[in-house]
Amino acid sequence: GNKNVMLHAIHDNSSTRTNIGSPHFSVVVLADGVGDQCEVTWTIPSDFSSITTIEFIWCSTATSGNNAYFEFFASAATGAESLVATDTDTIAATTYADNTTNNGRVATDISAAVNGLTLGAGHELGIGIYREGGNGSDTLDTNVSAIGVRIVYA
């Protein structure tokens, strides 16, 4: 059967960590009005055969119907190679709707970010999530709380 793994978002030098909810979830803040990024990494296990779905899990305090402007990057490298991989893919920047209420959980399908990658057991998969909060198409008007990435694989 399929297996699920949740990878928690890691902040970089443009973003920060905080917590939300009770009990608290640790999240990366992708701020409004600027470009912020977070990432996840995963060592692909020996029982891997294929990706079923990959979802970016996030929330915000915005009211329903506002859009966040995201771009997604992915790269893969075998364990013996440098993590500066040449096996890369992206999903071009576009808007994603938050159709929930205050801090409602949003699961955005980003499976297409790995369509062009060669993935196998022992490879390192890195996924970058970039929010361009200052883009005119980003109408969220608040921070995004990046929880992480959920991968379902066979």
Side-chain angles (χ1 to χ4, degrees):
N2 288 339
K3 297 146 197 97
N4 289 277
V5 62
M6 181 67 182
L7 307 170
H8 296 281
I10 303 167
H11 74 91
D12 69 0
N13 61 356
S14 73
S15 56
T16 58
R17 288 192 83 69
T18 191
N19 55 50
I20 59 169
S22 181
H24 295 309
F25 282 89
S26 180
V27 297
V28 174
V29 176
L30 302 179
D32 186 42
V34 297
D36 263 351
Q37 182 170 313
C38 64
E39 48 273 327
V40 300
T41 57
W42 182 46
T43 301
I44 298 174
S46 61
D47 64 351
F48 174 86
S49 63
S50 64
I51 294 286
T52 304
T53 59
I54 301 178
E55 295 175 315
F56 171 47
I57 310 299
W58 60 285
C59 64
S60 75
T61 57
T63 56
S64 174
N66 290 306
N67 294 316
Y69 195 73
F70 293 117
E71 185 170 9
F72 301 95
F73 307 88
S75 66
T78 64
E81 293 178 5
S82 163
L83 290 178
V84 180
T86 56
D87 192 9
T88 62
D89 205 351
T90 65
I91 298 177
T94 191
T95 55
Y96 296 87
D98 179 355
N99 291 317
T100 66
T101 55
N102 186 14
N103 280 328
R105 187 178 173 120
V106 181
T108 299
D109 188 331
I110 61 168
S111 303
V114 301
N115 284 350
L117 302 183
T118 303
L119 300 174
H123 289 195
E124 305 293 333
L125 174 64
I127 299 175
I129 297 109
Y130 178 74
R131 179 188 181 200
E132 192 177 332
N135 185 287
S137 295
D138 189 310
T139 58
L140 211 55
D141 294 331
T142 190
N143 294 340
V144 164
S145 296
I147 298 168
V149 171
R150 179 178 38 232
I151 297 176
V152 179
Y153 70 97

